[in-house]
C-alpha cells in the first residue's frame, strides 16, 4: 500500500515525464512498453530532494562509512543523500583518467570501509556489478545497494545470488497500479506493462 506522499511523488514523476509509455528499446535489446528516465530530476530540485529522502530512509538502518553514487543517474541522488544525511561520498569513474591523478575512484576513502551504492533504477542488475567492481578492487566492502525504483525484472534476485542486499523505495508494479487508479494510465496499457514485467526476466 502506497503512502499519500509516495503517490504524490509518482504523480510528480509522471508530470515531468520521468515515467514514459509507448515503445522503448532497452539496453538488453528488449522492447518495453514503459521507460523510466530519472535523469531529468536534476532539473527539479524539490523532486530530487524527495527521492533522496526516500533513499535516505532505506540506508539509515544500515551500517556503513560512505555512500557511492553509480554514474550517471545515481550521482545526483547520491549527492542529495550525502547532503541530507551528512554521509561522506565517493564514486567510481566509468573510465579511469589518463591524465592528472589517473584516479579510478573520486573522493577520500580507506580500504576496509563499507560503502552503500546508490542508483536510480534496477532492471537486471548487470550495471550494479560493474559499478561495485572497482570499489571491491580498491579494498572497499560492498553489501548493500539502495535503489529508488525496482523494475522487478530479475535484478534483486541476481544481486541476492551474489550475496548483496537490495533496498528499493518503490516497485514498478505499485507505480503502474497507482497511475492506473489515478486515471493516468489506461487499463489496457497497464495490462501490457504488467505482462512485460512478468514475461521479460533478465
Amino acid at each position: 500500500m502506497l503512502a499519500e506522499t509516495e503517490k504524490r511523488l509518482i504523480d510528480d514523476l509522471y508530470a515531468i515525464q520521468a515515467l514514459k509509455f509507448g515503445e522503448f528499446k532497452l539496453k538488453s535489446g528488449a522492447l518495453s512498453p514503459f521507460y523510466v528516465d530519472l535523469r531529468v530530476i536534476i532539473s527539479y530540485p524539490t523532486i530530487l530532494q524527495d527521492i533522496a529522502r526516500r533513499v535516505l530512509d532505506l540506508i539509515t538502518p544500515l551500517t556503513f562509512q560512505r555512500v557511492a553514487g553509480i554514474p550517471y543517474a545515481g550521482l545526483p541522488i547520491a549527492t542529495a543523500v550525502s547532503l541530507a544525511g551528512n554521509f561522506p561520498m565517493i564514486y567510481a569513474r566509468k573510465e579511469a583518467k589518463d591524465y592528472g591523478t589517473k584516479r579510478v575512484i573520486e573522493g577520500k576513502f580507506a580500504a576496509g570501509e563499507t560503502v552503500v551504492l546508490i542508483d536510480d533504477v534496477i532492471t537486471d542488475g548487470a550495471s550494479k556489478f560493474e559499478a561495485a567492481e572497482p570499489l571491491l578492487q580498491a579494498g572497499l566492502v560492498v553489501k548493500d545497494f539502495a535503489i529508488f525504483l525496482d523494475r522487478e525484472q530479475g535484478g534483486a534476485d541476481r544481486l541476492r545470488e551474489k550475496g548483496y542486499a537490495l533496498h528499493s523505495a518503490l516497485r514498478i508494479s505499485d507505480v503502474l497500479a497507482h497511475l492506473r487508479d489515478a486515471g493516468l494510465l489506461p487499463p489496457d496499457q497497464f495490462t501490457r506493462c504488467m505482462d512485460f514485467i512478468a514475461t521479460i526476466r533478465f
Side-chain angles (χ1 to χ4, degrees):
M1 190 75 173
L2 292 173
E4 288 304 314
T5 53
E6 291 172 320
K7 292 177 182 179
R8 282 197 296 273
L9 176 55
I10 294 168
D11 292 342
D12 288 342
L13 291 171
Y14 180 82
I16 66 171
Q17 295 190 303
L19 303 171
K20 302 174 188 287
F21 298 92
E23 189 173 82
F24 305 91
K25 189 173 183 178
L26 301 180
K27 188 178 179 181
S28 65
L31 291 177
S32 172
F34 64 91
Y35 189 68
V36 181
D37 181 14
L38 292 180
R39 289 168 180 81
V40 71
I41 64 173
I42 59 174
S43 298
Y44 300 90
T46 303
I47 295 175
L48 174 55
Q49 288 174 329
D50 205 357
I51 288 173
R53 277 193 292 271
R54 277 155 179 76
V55 174
L56 183 59
D57 288 344
L58 295 176
I59 69 173
T60 298
L62 306 177
T63 301
F64 61 94
Q65 285 74 51
R66 307 194 180 274
V67 297
I70 298 178
Y72 291 102
L75 285 177
I77 298 173
T79 301
V81 170
S82 170
L83 291 169
N86 198 31
F87 297 123
M89 177 180 154
I90 60 174
Y91 69 90
R93 300 176 64 89
K94 278 199 174 245
E95 295 174 355
K97 294 196 299 187
D98 61 358
Y99 58 91
T101 60
K102 299 186 179 179
R103 251 196 303 263
V104 175
I105 301 173
E106 300 291 356
K108 296 289 185 182
F109 65 92
E113 290 180 329
T114 299
V115 181
V116 176
L117 274 77
I118 295 174
D119 208 0
D120 61 338
V121 175
I122 184 167
T123 303
D124 64 357
S127 65
K128 309 306 177 252
F129 299 132
E130 292 169 12
E133 192 55 36
L135 302 176
L136 296 171
Q137 288 182 2
L140 291 160
V141 178
V142 178
K143 298 177 182 176
D144 301 279
F145 288 82
I147 310 294
F148 176 65
L149 180 64
D150 182 0
R151 282 185 58 123
E152 300 178 90
Q153 291 182 285
D157 293 336
R158 290 186 69 187
L159 287 182
R160 210 166 17 248
E161 287 166 6
K162 298 284 187 179
Y164 298 112
L166 174 69
H167 311 272
S168 55
L170 287 175
R171 297 179 305 169
I172 192 63
S173 58
D174 293 330
V175 170
L176 296 170
H178 167 68
L179 292 175
R180 177 202 58 195
D181 295 345
L184 298 171
L185 185 64
D188 62 326
Q189 211 165 14
F190 170 78
T191 301
R192 264 199 312 276
C193 292
M194 293 302 292
D195 287 347
F196 178 78
I197 294 166
T199 56
I200 306 296
R201 306 286 289 183
F202 299 100

